[in-house]
């Protein structure tokens, strides 16, 4: 008993697994475990539905804005919104004609709770679907043929990813900031049309895939052969999305802890001299999503960012998306955002840099642009 009390007096917190909650908001109701990767982690295939198809985007049709906090999200064609308005109209009519029915025998107002209707359940289902992991066994593919048919080519992004990993493998998961950056790309697609783009820390490749629907060429970079193989597989799964625009995605290794591009011809995902020259001569956009969670990696990223932009032939715009994560620390005995604070301090250093060679200007982007993918756009993004 005494040793148990001693252990309670000296609590130890252990956690070696990081979990992204993006899969909880995935519009597909099933997450198919398709394989184990090289290190034995389960790999899932998820369908992330675009609220507006790439065909509609190409034709320039109007897209309704979806803002955080709305109970019902507006879909293309106003189908859901029209149904909501008709429901509101019916409720208003019933309220106006039945006031007397709400009075009890003494004439007091009797409040009756409205039962949850089917439309309420459907609207809630749009915001967060039930997660049902299913293992896809060999020879059982026919069981999911109907689900595959439902996912049309023009409005679904297929991504292989893991659901929980150690910190060093978080790139194999899908994070909210990647969706936010993808939304911005689709909203400002004319800005990125025919551009040459570099993504740093591309992870599963979902942001590069969305960029590939409008840009001319995207270099999607990260480190780790297993992660890059997963990214390359995702690019192949979504090749049809880029066919109309003629975009090209090249998956390459780029280690922020090294000063040079990997050019070893025998190394997988290495760079050729022609590819390096193409990047430096034509790149006008650099992007990164949710890569600021470790101070040392943040410092390495900014060093890489400076090195690459310093060698570019043309001016470049860098788009950074991240989630401000709130953590309670015993050291501060308060809620802090240490990784975010370090990011902002490093960003300020870059903006105040005076080396006579480079000039950086930092501008925040308001999050009032349209939402094209189903995820929770929280205020910490």
């Amino acid at each position: 008993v005494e040793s148990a009390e001693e252990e309670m007096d000296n609590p130890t917190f252990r956690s070696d697994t990081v979990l992204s909650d993006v899969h909880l908001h995935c519009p597909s109701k099933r997450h198919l475990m398709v394989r184990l990767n090289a290190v034995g982690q389960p790999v899932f295939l998820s369908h992330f539905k675009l609220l507006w198809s790439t065909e509609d985007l190409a034709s320039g049709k109007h897209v309704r804005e979806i803002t955080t906090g709305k109970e019902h999200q507006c879909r293309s064609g106003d189908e859901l919104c029209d149904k909501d308005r008709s429901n509101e109209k019916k409720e208003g009519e019933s309220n106006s004609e039945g006031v007397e029915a709400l009075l009890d025998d003494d004439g007091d107002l009797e409040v009756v709770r409205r039962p949850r209707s089917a439309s309420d359940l459907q609207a809630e289902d749009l915001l967060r679907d039930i997660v049902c992991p299913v293992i896809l066994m060999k020879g059982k593919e026919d069981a999911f043929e109907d689900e595959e048919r439902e996912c049309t080519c023009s409005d679904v992004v297929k991504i292989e990813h893991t659901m929980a990993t150690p910190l060093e493998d978080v790139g194999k998961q899908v994070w909210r900031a990647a969706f936010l950056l993808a939304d911005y790309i689709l909203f400002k697609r004319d800005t990125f049309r025919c551009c040459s783009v570099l993504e740093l820390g591309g992870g599963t490749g979902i942001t590069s895939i969305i960029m590939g629907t409008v840009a001319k060429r995207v270099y999607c970079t990260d480190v780790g052969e297993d992660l890059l193989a997963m990214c390359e597989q995702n690019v192949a799964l979504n090749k049809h999305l880029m066919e109309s625009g003629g975009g090209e995605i090249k998956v390459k290794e780029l280690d922020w802890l090294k000063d040079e591009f990997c050019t070893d011809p025998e190394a997988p995902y290495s760079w050729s001299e022609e590819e390096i020259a193409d990047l430096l001569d034509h790149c006008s956009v650099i992007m990164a999503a949710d890569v600021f969670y470790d101070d040392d990696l943040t410092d390495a990223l900014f060093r890489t960012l400076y090195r690459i932009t310093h060698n570019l032939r043309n001016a470049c715009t860098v788009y950074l998306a991240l989630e401000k994560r709130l953590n309670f620390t015993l050291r501060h005995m308060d809620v802090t955002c240490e990784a975010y604070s370090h990011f902002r301090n490093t960003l300020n250093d870059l903006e105040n840099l005076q080396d006579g060679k480079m000039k950086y200007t930092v501008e925040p982007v308001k999050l009032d642009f349209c939402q094209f993918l189903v995820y929770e756009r929280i205020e910490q993004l």
Side-chain angles (χ1 to χ4, degrees), residues 104-121:
D104 62 15
D105 295 337
D106 298 328
D108 297 323
L109 182 65
E110 185 176 16
V111 179
V112 180
R113 291 186 179 274
R114 181 173 65 88
R116 297 186 71 186
S117 64
S119 62
D120 292 335
L121 296 174

Side-chain angles (χ1 to χ4, degrees), residues 23 29 40 94 99 135 215 222 227 263 290 311 319 327 362 373:
H23 61 277
K29 294 183 183 299
S94 62
V99 174
I135 299 177
D222 216 310
L227 172 58
T263 55
D290 230 330
N311 291 311
Y319 296 90
N327 297 296
V362 178
L373 288 152

Side-chain angles (χ1 to χ4, degrees), residues 6-294:
E6 290 175 3
E7 288 182 5
M8 292 179 66
D9 291 336
N10 298 283
T12 302
F13 302 94
R14 296 178 180 175
S15 177
D16 59 357
T17 300
V18 181
L19 173 68
S20 166
D21 68 351
V22 163
H23 61 277
L24 294 175
H25 303 280
C26 179
S28 60
K29 294 183 183 299
R30 287 173 173 166
H31 297 267
L32 310 180
M33 195 194 93
V34 292
R35 61 184 173 87
L36 294 176
N37 61 20
V39 293
Q41 297 164 338
V43 175
F44 293 82
L45 176 64
S46 292
H47 297 158
F48 296 98
K49 187 175 179 61
L50 284 163
L51 296 178
W52 206 263
S53 71
T54 52
E55 293 174 358
D56 294 328
L57 292 174
S59 63
K61 289 184 179 179
H62 178 66
V63 180
R64 291 188 63 86
E65 182 178 347
I66 301 171
T67 56
T68 305
K70 287 187 179 179
E71 182 181 1
H72 306 302
Q73 295 187 338
C74 300
R75 287 293 187 89
S76 60
D78 285 349
E79 178 183 354
L80 182 59
C81 297
D82 289 339
K83 184 165 63 177
D84 290 342
R85 283 193 287 269
S86 64
N87 288 340
E88 291 173 2
K89 185 177 180 181
K90 290 177 182 177
E91 290 172 13
E93 291 173 354
S94 62
N95 288 339
S96 61
E97 67 185 15
V99 174
E100 294 182 1
L102 297 178
L103 301 179
D104 62 15
D105 295 337
D106 298 328
D108 297 323
L109 182 65
E110 185 176 16
V111 179
V112 180
R113 291 186 179 274
R114 181 173 65 88
R116 297 186 71 186
S117 64
S119 62
D120 292 335
L121 296 174
Q122 291 171 1
E124 182 178 306
D125 195 47
L126 284 174
L127 295 177
R128 174 167 292 195
D129 289 312
I130 300 172
V131 178
C132 304
V134 178
I135 299 177
L136 183 60
M137 303 297 292
K138 186 175 182 181
K140 299 291 184 180
E141 290 85 351
D142 294 343
F144 304 104
E145 282 185 356
D146 293 338
E147 184 173 311
E148 290 291 335
R149 286 195 208 101
E150 291 177 3
C151 299
T152 57
C153 292
S154 61
D155 64 356
V156 169
V157 182
K158 298 178 182 180
I159 296 293
E160 285 193 1
H161 62 97
T162 57
M163 286 191 178
T165 63
L167 185 62
E168 61 267 20
D169 283 337
V170 292
K172 296 176 182 176
Q173 299 186 54
V174 184
W175 301 91
R176 268 189 289 243
F179 286 105
L180 182 71
L181 187 52
D183 274 344
Y184 189 76
I185 293 166
L186 293 172
F187 180 65
K188 290 282 191 179
R189 53 192 176 278
D190 290 339
T191 301
F192 303 109
R193 204 175 299 281
C194 299
C195 285
S196 183
V197 181
L198 169 67
E199 181 174 15
L200 301 173
T204 62
I206 186 169
T207 309
S208 281
I209 289 167
I210 296 297
M211 179 64 86
T213 64
V214 292
K216 178 182 179 182
R217 183 172 293 112
V218 182
Y219 290 97
C220 181
T221 68
D222 216 310
V223 291
E225 185 175 346
D226 193 46
L227 172 58
L228 292 171
M230 176 188 287
C231 181
E232 191 171 52
Q233 166 70 0
N234 287 332
V235 171
L237 284 172
N238 297 279
K239 192 174 182 180
H240 59 281
L241 296 176
M242 293 160 275
E243 288 177 350
S244 59
E248 178 187 21
I249 299 178
K250 294 192 173 188
V251 178
K252 297 292 176 183
E253 178 182 322
L254 183 55
D255 191 340
W256 306 340
L257 300 177
K258 297 180 180 178
D259 294 333
E260 302 293 337
F261 293 93
C262 175
T263 55
D264 182 357
E266 296 185 1
Y269 308 105
S270 63
W271 297 72
S272 68
E273 295 296 338
E274 291 77 13
E275 288 169 336
I276 296 174
D278 174 67
L279 175 73
L280 299 181
D281 288 343
H282 300 106
C283 180
S284 60
V285 173
I286 297 177
M287 60 182 184
D290 230 330
V291 295
F292 305 102
Y293 53 89
D294 177 88

Side-chain angles (χ1 to χ4, degrees), residues 198 261 279-281 283 286 302-316 318 350 353 355-360:
L198 169 67
F261 293 93
L279 175 73
L280 299 181
D281 288 343
C283 180
I286 297 177
F302 276 99
R303 286 195 300 269
T304 300
L305 198 59
Y306 175 81
R307 175 174 57 84
I308 292 176
T309 53
H310 176 72
N311 291 311
L312 292 179
R313 179 184 294 272
N314 302 307
C316 179
V318 183
L350 188 68
L353 182 68
D355 63 354
K357 301 175 183 178
M358 303 291 296
K359 172 64 178 175
Y360 296 90

Side-chain angles (χ1 to χ4, degrees), residues 327-356:
N327 297 296
F328 183 87
T329 62
L330 294 175
R331 181 157 61 94
H332 295 92
M333 291 303 292
D334 197 1
V335 176
T336 63
C337 310
E338 292 186 324
Y340 177 77
S341 298
H342 185 77
F343 158 74
R344 289 304 301 262
N345 291 335
T346 312
L347 188 64
N348 290 336
D349 292 341
L350 188 68
E351 187 176 22
N352 296 328
L353 182 68
Q354 295 180 350
D355 63 354

